[in-house]
Every structure is written in structure tokens, then in C-alpha cells.
Amino acid sequence: QKEVEQNSGPLSVPEGAIASLNCTYSDRGSQSFFWYRQYSGKSPELIMFIYSNGDKEDGRFTAQLNKASQYVSLLIRDSQPSDSATYLCAVKETGGFKTIFGAGTRLFVKA
Amino acid sequence: GAVVSQHPSWVICKSGTSVKIECRSLDFQATTMFWYRQFPKQSLMLMATSNEGSKATYEQGVEKDKFLINHASLTLSTLTVTSAHPEDSSFYICSARYVDTDTQYFGPGTRLTVL
């Protein structure tokens, strides 16, 4: 059973701080990794994807990938109250079309 | 780009009736679409993978005769909940696979309430 593990949280950070969200996965052959944000009552929206080891930056978001450790993370700089949501880590399965989603980490950014 | 729509956004129906939900990729072609269900405060649950021109692949425990999926074109997949019961009340979300980046883009979801 392929798994994606996330700390359910809630993770609480003050406004302006860096929020760090972590994820581990079991499928060693996975090549594609995604972070989605889901506000309460809404569907997930893609934040960013990463395929290569290292860091990938997009605005206030940085995704980090370490395939050897089977670890993906998302950093949110200058956190804002509007960033309060559930963040889903997702890993595309090897050799198929399905993407395995973690259960999500709830983030609260306090004003 | 990579916009996915769903219709309707919400529906209320009586027990025993059937409900059809449409999922459309508006600005790209999607040979593969996915249907998820999400209960309040719970994780996304993949119900089935829909492939254009072929039968859908259902996840274990999902009744294919109850949740009928049709992917008749490269931009449209439909989910029909047949003989709906109150326990089918949930948030149904589709996604479409964008081939260029092998990424799933989600529709806004359909909230189904069965009375």
C-alpha cells in the first residue's frame, strides 16, 4: 500500500513567520510531487509541483524534495492569515496515473 | 490555464433518485479524469479513474453500479449517483490530468445532499 504521511496539525504560526510543512512517502520510485491548498468547504488548488531533488521557489512558497530520504516539504515565508488552510502533499504513483494524497496538515496563521 | 469546472455546484435530491454531476476541462484536453469524495473533516477519497473512451477503474469498495462514470469526450466526464441515499451525501470533487506537467487540476466540487 503506497502511503503519503503528513502531520495532521494543527500547525499554528504567527503572522509574518515561516510555516514549515512536511511529508514522507513510501513509493521509492515516485518522480512527481505536489502541494495543494484546501480551504474549508472548497476543493484543493495546486500550489506547486516539484520533480527534482533540491529546492523550488515560487513567490512566498518553497518546495523541497529529497528522494533519498523520501521526504518533501513546503515552506511558506511571511505567512498571512489568508494562508490558513489544509495543505495536502501528493505523490504520483510509479507507473500509473493516480496521485496519492496525504491526509493534510491544518495550518493556522495568527494575526 | 488548466481550469476545470463542475456542474452543479450543489444539489439536493430525494432518496431513491439519481443525480448526474458533470466535470469539464475548459482549456485543455484530459484523457484521464478522477472522481473523489470527501466527507466533512476527512481526507480526499479517490472513487475512480475515468479514461476517455474506456471503462472507468473503480477503487476497492466503490460500487460501480451505483456510481456510474462516463468519459465520452476529451473534456467531459460525468458521475451519476444512482438511487441515492442519505449516506451518499458528501462533497464530490473531480480532477483532470494535465498531461504536460502530469498534474491534476481540481474542479470546484459538488455538494450533494440526499434527503
Side-chain angles (χ1 to χ4, degrees):
Chain A
Q1 181 76 5
K2 297 167 185 172
E3 295 182 340
V4 175
E5 299 286 342
Q6 295 182 256
N7 188 320
S8 63
L11 172 66
S12 184
V13 300
E15 184 175 359
I18 296 175
S20 178
L21 305 161
N22 305 312
C23 168
T24 58
Y25 60 94
S26 64
D27 186 349
R28 185 169 287 279
S30 295
Q31 298 295 319
S32 305
F33 308 86
F34 309 89
W35 283 99
Y36 289 83
R37 176 174 61 195
Q38 186 175 24
Y39 292 110
S40 181
K42 302 293 185 182
S43 67
E45 58 178 316
L46 179 70
I47 298 174
M48 60 195 306
F49 53 83
I50 184 168
Y51 302 144
S52 303
N53 278 328
D55 295 359
K56 179 181 179 183
E57 188 173 316
D58 184 0
R60 295 187 296 113
F61 299 98
T62 299
Q64 299 174 318
L65 174 61
N66 184 325
K67 292 182 183 178
S69 301
Q70 295 175 241
Y71 178 89
V72 194
S73 66
L74 179 70
L75 301 178
I76 307 174
R77 289 182 299 281
D78 188 24
S79 296
Q80 301 297 309
S82 58
D83 294 327
S84 298
T86 297
Y87 288 80
L88 305 175
C89 173
V91 178
K92 186 167 175 297
E93 67 173 6
T94 305
F97 293 137
K98 287 197 296 187
T99 298
I100 311 302
F101 284 82
T105 298
R106 291 174 60 202
L107 172 67
F108 289 112
V109 181
K110 299 174 292 185
Chain B
V3 179
V4 178
S5 70
Q6 263 183 262
H7 179 80
S9 55
W10 59 270
V11 57
I12 301 173
C13 68
K14 293 182 179 180
S15 186
T17 59
S18 295
V19 174
K20 179 186 283 189
I21 302 170
E22 292 186 349
C23 178
R24 293 181 187 274
S25 55
L26 298 184
D27 52 0
F28 66 102
Q29 294 184 330
T31 55
T32 305
M33 293 183 174
F34 304 88
W35 287 96
Y36 295 84
R37 181 166 57 179
Q38 189 174 39
F39 293 105
K41 300 191 185 302
Q42 293 191 22
S43 306
L44 282 176
M45 188 196 83
L46 179 65
M47 299 175 66
T49 301
S50 166
N51 293 295
E52 188 266 338
S54 64
K55 290 184 179 181
T57 303
Y58 291 81
E59 295 299 300
Q60 192 171 7
V62 178
E63 299 174 61
K64 62 181 180 182
D65 294 331
K66 181 169 182 61
F67 299 99
L68 301 178
I69 292 172
N70 187 314
H71 193 155
S73 80
L74 288 172
T75 58
L76 173 64
S77 176
T78 61
L79 168 69
T80 301
V81 183
T82 62
S83 187
H85 288 94
E87 57 266 30
D88 298 322
S89 298
S90 188
F91 190 40
Y92 291 86
I93 314 171
C94 74
S95 71
R97 176 174 171 256
Y98 184 64
V99 172
D100 288 3
T101 55
D102 203 7
T103 305
Q104 288 188 37
Y105 289 89
F106 284 86
T110 298
R111 197 162 301 281
L112 170 64
T113 302
V114 184
L115 302 177

